């Protein structure tokens, strides 16, 4: 009996066709998991590189409160350098600029070609103090000279724009376009990683000359002494620096974007786990059927002296071998998925992602999880095989496990899962809740299969007259063998419905937000800020009706002891509400406009207000240039994406710095074509003022394209899960045909033709798929509501659930398609059974 475990390998070889279907399902699940792990790792590494490029060795970063035109107060650098716990500091002046390769208007007076231009951050630095914190690796040319109109660019930027050392380019600055020489190219490490490589460096005196102020600086990097905690140092010295500065730990740079990327990775991770979950049930199903088929073999082993532990080991080793091989194959497929996913994420987030390499850690984790899941899924069938009575097993042979089970523990699992996904718990808890909901629904399927099969059977049995009733009766009788196969299809259909419903809800919200918040016919934005006379020039363009200036900046929201740096938008309520509006959650246009015009009032994104626990009419605290001020919440609005953040009024402009407009919302006159007006604005103003002009249609198309891109990743994962469910259905039908070989022979001998036998298998598959579809509708709707609630909490999106009626028919068609494809091989096998051999079958 020492070689008993070799039966595991022999079992795999003897039934290699059937186990190949199971291995394919596990392979797809592991591929989805590995692809997501690699994509998440590469994306996170790129984000960390960008943060490291900005922060370098700095522990704390300091900037001005208020508009993007704001600078730090004179003397702050000296005071910071003298504070306890400070090792070294460096001051910078950053200008959001437009790097223009076309330097002059064309001969016909038209503006230069801007198609190859790119927004970059021009960073003025003091190289002796900046370089030790942010290493420069020069790969071509030389460093810029202090005070000279020259700069160095990153290798990635030079590659994207085909720049070379010695080339002259134009940079948009607050004092106008300035010609700059490219002195050198730095590598994409250290300082070259800032802003994902979209950065150029010049000397601090040069940047100040472009800014028009000889003492201006808007950033400081602070290195603390060893053992000093950044958050504690900030809290300790906040009062000493005053309220005109924003301080945050360097590790929190791009915190909002980091949260967004983490949430996207978590969502994709959840779908990949569900794909693996489906694969696990496929393994459970396969080995349950295998145990039932080999009951007589296990009984014989027990009669010959094998103990339960040895019999159990046969099944578990068989599952481990299958899981290991299929997981290794899944790594190969997953690498291709990761390459596609990284390319898509890079284009959607507009970031340069590092090469994949070979992520050995993710591969080991994926193979380990795939193998462990396989063994775990086979454990219950293994226990069932070991517990079989030798005498009964040898006498009865194949037997289904039709023991009476209690329904209430399964309902508890479902209820706990629902409580988790609708709670305000962290993302991990809600993800666990989704798995529990699926598990609870799967465990309840055996109690629902028989009544639903009887109810829906009259619809499917008509596909094959005469023998269709037999297929339905078989499902009702053998519910334990069919229930979990049905559950696989149900889970896949429910996830398709849930993701599709979330997609529809977000598209609907996106349309509402863009129609109202970007309700203007176009947006005219500057890479930095507009010159004072641009408003009059815009108003004079033929076709322009009204316009409203918008200013951007930053502020701190104070919530008790917590201080959160956030995006700030300042609007002119008198003109804004004539051009655009908001998708109100709390409030209305009239009351919000009146409150903003009176001053000391703000509008908040609904998710931000919910997170702070404040409602319309309550007050919040913001940090301003003149100190901490209290503001009344005049309303909350729906937000999808970054949006406008905290919205203040020009009535309080002095509190946030009287910065120049960064953008204008423009409406066109009745009868005027937005595209024509857009071209007129570029022709008239673009020659001397760098700007970006986008119509509402362009903004809407871009937003929907990005949304489709993110959901395409989710749908790709669902395709893998769907393929796994189809394999499970095919596996069950093959076993069903094998189990009923003698019954099929009797039907053939009674006059049934081959087409009727094939049709009987199709009826069985269609009935299973139809029952799965009926159960998937409430389950998918429940998951969709939970998924949308999670998006609202995690992404800060204001998305509301509505029942996805538009998806019911497509999902039903997908169910029938899965049934049709899965039944092809089993039906063909059943139709080829010969009468004589079938009646001899045992």
């Amino acid at each position: 009996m020492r070689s008993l475990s070799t039966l595991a390998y022999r079992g795999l070889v003897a039934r290699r066709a059937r186990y190949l279907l199971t291995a394919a399902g596990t392979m797809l699940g592991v591929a989805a998991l590995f692809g997501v792990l690699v994509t998440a790792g590469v994306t996170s590494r790129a984000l960390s590189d960008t943060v490291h490029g900005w922060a370098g060795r700095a522990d704390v970063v300091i900037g001005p409160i208020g508009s993007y035109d704001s600078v730090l107060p004179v003397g702050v650098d000296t005071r910071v350098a003298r504070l306890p716990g400070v090792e070294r500091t460096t001051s910078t002046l950053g200008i959001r600029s437009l790097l223009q390769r076309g330097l002059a208007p064309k001969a016909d007076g038209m503006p230069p070609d801007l198609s190859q231009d790119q927004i970059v951050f021009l960073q003025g630095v003091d190289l002796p103090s900046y370089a030790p914190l942010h290493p420069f690796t020069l790969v071509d040319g030389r460093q810029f000279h202090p005070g000279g109109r020259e700069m160095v660019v990153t290798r990635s930027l030079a590659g994207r724009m085909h720049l070379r050392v010695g080339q002259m380019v134009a940079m948009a600055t607050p004092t106008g376009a300035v010609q700059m020489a490219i002195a050198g190219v730095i590598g994409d490490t250290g300082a070259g990683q800032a802003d994902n490589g979209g950065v150029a460096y010049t000397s601090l005196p040069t940047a100040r000359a472009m800014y028009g102020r000889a003492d201006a600086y808007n950033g400081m990097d602070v290195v603390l002494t060893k053992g000093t905690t950044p958050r504690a140092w900030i809290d300790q010295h906040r009062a000493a620096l005053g309220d005109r500065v924003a301080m945050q730990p360097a590790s929190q740079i791009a915190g909002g974007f980091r949260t967004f990327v983490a949430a996207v990775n978590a969502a994709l991770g959840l779908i990949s786990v569900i794909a693996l979950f489906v694969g696990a049930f496929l393994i459970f199903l396969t080995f349950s059927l295998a145990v039932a088929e080999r009951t007589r073999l296990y009984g014989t082993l027990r009669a010959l002296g094998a103990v339960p532990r040895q019999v159990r080991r046969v099944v578990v080793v068989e599952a481990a071998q299958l899981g290991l091989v299929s997981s290794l194959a899944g790594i190969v497929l997953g690498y291709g998925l990761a390459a596609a996913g990284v390319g898509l994420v890079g284009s959607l987030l507009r970031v340069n992602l590092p090469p994949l390499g070979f992520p050995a850690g993710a591969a080991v984790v994926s193979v380990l999880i795939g193998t462990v899941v396989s063994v775990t899924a086979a454990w219950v069938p293994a226990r069932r095989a070991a517990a079989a009575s030798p005498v009964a097993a040898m006498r009865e042979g194949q037997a289904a496990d039709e023991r009476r089970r209690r329904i209430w523990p399964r309902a508890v699992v479902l209820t706990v899962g629902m409580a988790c996904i609708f709670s305000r718990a962290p993302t991990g808890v809600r993800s666990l809740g989704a798995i529990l909901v699926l598990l609870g629904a799967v465990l309840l399927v055996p109690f629902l299969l028989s009544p639903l099969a009887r109810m829906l059977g009259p619809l499917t049995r008509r596909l094959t007259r005469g023998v269709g009733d037999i297929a339905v009766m078989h499902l009702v009788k053998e519910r334990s063998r069919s229930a979990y196969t049905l559950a696989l299809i149900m889970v896949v259909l429910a996830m398709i419905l849930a993701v599709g419903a979330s997609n529809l809800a977000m598209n609907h919200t996106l349309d509402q937000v863009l129609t109202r918040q970007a309700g203007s016919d176009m947006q005219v934005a500057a890479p930095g800020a507009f010159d004072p006379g641009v408003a009059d020039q815009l108003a004079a363009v033929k076709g322009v009706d009204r316009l409203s200036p918008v200013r951007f900046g930053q502020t701190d929201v104070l919530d008790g002891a917590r201080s959160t740096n956030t995006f700030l938008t300042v609007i002119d309520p008198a003109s804004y509400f004539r051009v655009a509006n908001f998708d109100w959650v709390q409030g209305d246009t009239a009351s919000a406009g009146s409150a903003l015009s009176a001053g000391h009032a703000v509008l908040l994104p609904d998710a931000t207000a919910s997170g702070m626990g404040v409602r319309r009419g309550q007050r919040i605290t913001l940090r301003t240039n003149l100190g901490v001020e209290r503001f009344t919440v005049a309303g909350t609005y729906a937000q999808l994406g970054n949006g406008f953040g905290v919205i203040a009024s020009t009535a309080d402009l002095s509190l946030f710095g009287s910065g120049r407009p960064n953008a204008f919302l423009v409406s066109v006159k009745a009868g005027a074509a937005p595209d024509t007006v857009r071209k007129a604005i570029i022709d008239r103003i673009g020659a001397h003022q760098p700007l970006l002009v986008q119509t509402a249609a362009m903004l809407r198309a871009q937003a929907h394209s990005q949304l489709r891109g993110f959901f395409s990743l989710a749908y790709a994962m669902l395709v893998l899960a769907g393929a796994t469910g189809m394999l499970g259905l095919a596996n069950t039908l093959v076993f069903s045909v094998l189990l009923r070989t003698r019954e099929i022979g009797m039907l053939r001998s009674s006059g049934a033709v081959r087409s009727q036998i094939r049709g009987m298998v199709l009826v069985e598959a269609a009935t299973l798929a139809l029952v799965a579809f009926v159960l998937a509708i409430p389950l998918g709707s429940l998951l969709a509501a939970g998924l949308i609630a999670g998006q609202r909490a995690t992404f800060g999106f204001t998305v509301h659930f509505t029942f996805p009626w538009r998806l019911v028919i497509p999902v039903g068609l997908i169910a029938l398609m899965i049934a049709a494809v899965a039944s092809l091989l089993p039906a063909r096998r059943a139709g080829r059974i010969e009468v004589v051999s079938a009646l001899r079958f045992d």
Side-chain angles (χ1 to χ4, degrees):
M1 303 304 286
R2 292 181 180 178
S3 61
L4 190 61
S5 59
T6 60
L7 286 175
Y9 174 75
R10 295 177 184 177
L12 289 176
V13 174
R15 297 166 181 82
R16 56 182 176 273
R18 188 188 311 165
Y19 283 122
L20 183 62
L21 297 176
T22 304
T26 306
M27 178 187 69
L28 294 177
V30 171
L33 178 63
F34 180 68
V36 168
L37 288 178
V38 174
T39 302
V42 171
T43 306
S44 299
R45 191 163 71 249
L47 183 58
S48 296
D49 289 344
T50 296
V51 172
H52 180 72
W54 277 128
R57 288 185 52 220
D59 298 302
V60 174
V61 291
I62 298 176
I65 288 290
S67 67
Y68 284 160
D69 269 1
S70 299
V71 295
L72 286 167
V74 176
V76 165
D77 53 346
T78 304
R79 282 183 296 181
V80 170
R82 293 174 178 174
L83 289 175
V86 174
E87 180 178 316
R88 68 166 65 211
T89 67
T90 184
S91 300
T92 61
L93 179 60
I95 302 173
R96 191 171 185 262
S97 180
L98 186 71
L99 193 157
Q100 300 174 279
R101 297 184 65 208
L103 299 182
K106 298 178 181 178
D108 57 4
M110 296 295 289
D113 180 14
L114 304 181
S115 59
Q116 297 297 318
D117 300 344
Q118 181 171 329
I119 290 179
V120 300
F121 278 92
L122 180 62
Q123 193 82 338
V125 301
D126 173 53
L127 204 56
S129 64
Y130 191 82
L133 276 64
H134 309 264
F136 283 79
T137 304
L138 200 65
V139 296
D140 191 14
R142 59 173 176 80
Q143 280 291 2
F144 51 81
H145 289 151
R149 290 195 172 183
E150 52 188 26
M151 62 185 185
V152 296
V153 297
T154 64
R155 180 159 48 189
S156 60
L157 181 62
R160 288 196 299 268
M161 299 192 65
H162 307 289
L163 303 174
R164 65 184 185 278
V165 173
Q167 182 176 352
M168 298 296 295
V169 296
M171 299 294 291
T173 75
T175 56
V178 175
Q179 292 193 18
M180 300 279 288
I182 298 178
V185 177
I186 61 175
D188 296 325
T189 59
Q193 294 174 320
D195 197 40
N196 200 46
V199 63
Y201 293 93
T202 189
S203 68
L204 185 57
T206 301
R208 284 172 169 171
M210 295 176 177
Y211 207 80
R213 288 185 56 177
D215 58 352
Y217 61 104
N218 55 15
M220 284 191 65
D221 296 335
V222 182
V223 178
L224 302 177
T225 55
K226 187 177 181 180
T228 304
T229 305
R231 175 53 65 185
W233 184 87
I234 291 173
D235 293 340
Q236 182 180 359
H237 301 293
R238 158 56 62 191
L241 297 182
D243 290 313
R244 296 181 61 186
V245 302
M247 299 190 293
Q248 61 178 327
S251 59
Q252 294 182 5
I253 294 178
F257 188 60
R258 192 193 297 271
T259 301
F260 175 78
V261 171
V264 171
N265 289 337
L268 294 177
L270 173 61
I271 295 176
S272 70
V273 169
I274 290 174
L276 197 61
F277 174 87
V278 172
F281 264 96
L282 176 56
I283 293 172
F284 168 78
L285 177 65
T286 299
F287 281 93
S288 294
L289 298 178
V291 167
E293 180 183 1
R294 290 183 281 177
T295 302
R296 193 166 284 172
L297 170 63
Y298 295 136
T300 303
L301 292 176
R302 290 292 310 280
L304 292 175
V307 296
R309 175 172 51 84
Q310 291 176 304
V311 175
R312 189 164 55 243
R313 183 187 304 163
V314 171
V315 180
V316 171
V317 170
E318 192 172 334
Q321 293 173 344
L322 184 67
L324 178 61
V325 173
S326 55
S327 295
L328 291 173
I331 295 299
V332 178
L333 176 60
Y335 195 86
L337 292 175
V342 166
L344 182 58
V345 170
S347 63
L348 291 174
L349 299 180
R350 298 178 182 178
V351 295
N352 296 321
L353 299 179
L356 292 181
F358 183 74
V364 171
V365 169
S366 299
V367 171
L368 183 62
I369 291 177
T371 306
V372 171
V373 166
S374 300
V375 171
T376 303
W379 182 254
V380 173
R383 289 188 59 191
R384 192 178 301 156
S389 168
V391 177
M394 295 176 64
R395 182 179 65 246
E396 298 172 6
Q398 295 170 348
D401 182 18
E402 298 289 351
R403 292 176 298 175
R404 186 175 182 84
R405 298 178 175 87
R406 295 180 179 180
I407 192 173
W408 69 265
R410 303 160 188 243
V412 168
V413 173
L414 181 64
T415 304
V416 171
M418 291 172 57
C420 289
I421 64 174
F422 287 105
S423 68
R424 291 183 175 268
T427 303
V429 175
R430 291 197 299 272
S431 298
L432 176 62
I435 297 296
L436 290 177
V437 166
L438 292 176
L439 179 61
V442 166
L443 295 175
L444 287 172
V445 166
F447 297 92
L448 304 173
L449 174 59
S450 294
L452 287 176
R454 290 190 182 96
M455 181 176 67
L456 300 174
L459 298 176
T460 56
R461 65 190 179 194
R462 296 181 182 179
L463 295 174
T464 305
R465 295 188 179 277
V467 295
D469 288 338
I470 298 176
V472 176
M473 291 172 57
H474 174 73
L475 284 179
V476 174
K477 177 183 177 183
E478 303 288 345
R479 70 175 189 177
S480 65
R481 291 195 181 114
S482 306
Y484 293 121
T485 303
L486 183 155
L488 288 179
I489 309 300
M490 176 192 70
V491 168
V492 171
L493 297 179
M495 286 306 302
I496 293 175
L497 191 65
V499 173
S502 174
N503 193 359
L504 289 177
M506 292 186 71
N507 273 288
H508 177 69
T509 302
L510 183 62
D511 283 332
Q512 283 188 317
V513 170
L514 290 177
T515 300
R516 291 176 177 266
Q517 188 167 319
S520 56
D521 296 304
M522 68 185 63
Q523 294 185 9
V524 182
F530 281 116
D531 295 335
V534 170
D536 294 335
Q537 296 171 13
L538 273 175
V541 173
K542 184 179 179 180
V544 171
D545 184 18
R546 291 173 174 155
L547 54 90
S548 180
V550 179
R551 295 168 173 84
F552 301 123
Q554 65 175 339
T555 185
D556 285 345
V557 179
L558 306 181
D559 185 10
R562 185 177 63 179
S563 176
T564 304
N565 188 258
T566 187
F567 191 61
L568 171 73
T569 301
V570 180
I571 65 171
D572 172 26
S575 61
Y576 180 89
F577 290 111
R578 295 180 181 178
V579 177
N581 210 316
F582 293 99
D583 186 12
W584 298 109
V585 177
Q586 298 178 27
D588 56 80
T589 303
S591 62
S594 176
L596 289 173
S597 298
H600 274 74
V602 294
L603 306 177
L604 295 180
D606 178 58
T608 301
S610 298
M612 296 176 61
V614 299
R615 298 180 58 82
R616 177 191 177 197
Q618 294 180 330
R619 294 171 69 81
I620 65 170
T621 303
L622 299 181
R623 200 181 307 279
T624 76
N625 281 332
L626 301 181
V628 172
E629 298 278 344
R630 299 279 286 172
F631 292 80
T632 301
V633 178
T636 65
Y637 65 95
Q639 176 174 280
L640 198 63
N642 290 331
F644 278 2
V646 175
I647 297 173
S649 165
T650 48
D652 298 311
L653 196 58
S654 61
L655 296 176
F656 300 105
S658 55
R660 298 171 300 162
N662 303 103
F664 287 94
L665 303 184
V666 180
S667 64
V668 303
K669 294 179 179 178
D675 288 333
T676 302
V677 177
R678 175 179 179 271
K679 184 176 183 301
I681 292 174
I682 294 174
D683 291 345
R684 177 161 184 163
I685 304 175
H688 58 84
Q689 170 69 59
L691 49 78
L692 303 171
V693 186
Q694 293 179 296
T695 64
M698 294 170 62
L699 291 170
R700 192 171 289 109
Q702 289 176 6
H704 281 291
S705 174
Q706 192 172 41
L707 195 61
R708 283 194 303 270
F710 281 117
F711 272 98
S712 67
L713 293 174
Y715 285 127
M717 299 296 176
L718 290 178
V719 168
L720 297 181
T724 305
M726 186 169 62
L727 293 172
L729 180 57
N731 205 1
T732 299
L733 293 175
V734 167
F735 181 78
S736 178
V737 169
L738 179 65
L739 186 65
R740 291 187 289 161
T741 300
R742 181 172 292 178
E743 176 186 327
I744 292 172
M746 296 179 64
L747 290 174
R748 289 293 312 282
S749 66
S750 301
V753 297
R754 295 183 187 273
S755 61
Q756 287 180 302
I757 300 301
R758 289 193 294 267
M760 183 176 67
V761 177
L762 177 61
V763 168
E764 186 171 345
T767 305
L768 280 173
L770 189 57
V771 174
F773 167 66
V774 170
L775 293 176
I777 292 176
L779 177 61
S781 300
L782 176 65
L783 289 174
L787 188 61
I788 290 172
Q791 289 168 344
R792 179 186 177 101
T794 304
F795 290 92
F797 294 167
T798 307
V799 185
H800 301 288
F801 171 75
T802 56
F803 188 83
W805 295 106
R806 291 167 50 187
L807 295 175
V808 172
I809 293 178
V811 171
L813 294 177
I814 291 174
L816 294 178
M817 182 183 68
I818 290 176
V821 175
S823 65
L824 289 177
L825 179 62
R828 183 171 177 267
R829 180 171 181 172
R832 295 175 61 182
I833 292 178
E834 298 295 336
V835 176
V836 176
S837 60
L839 293 177
R840 284 204 309 261
F841 181 81
D842 187 7

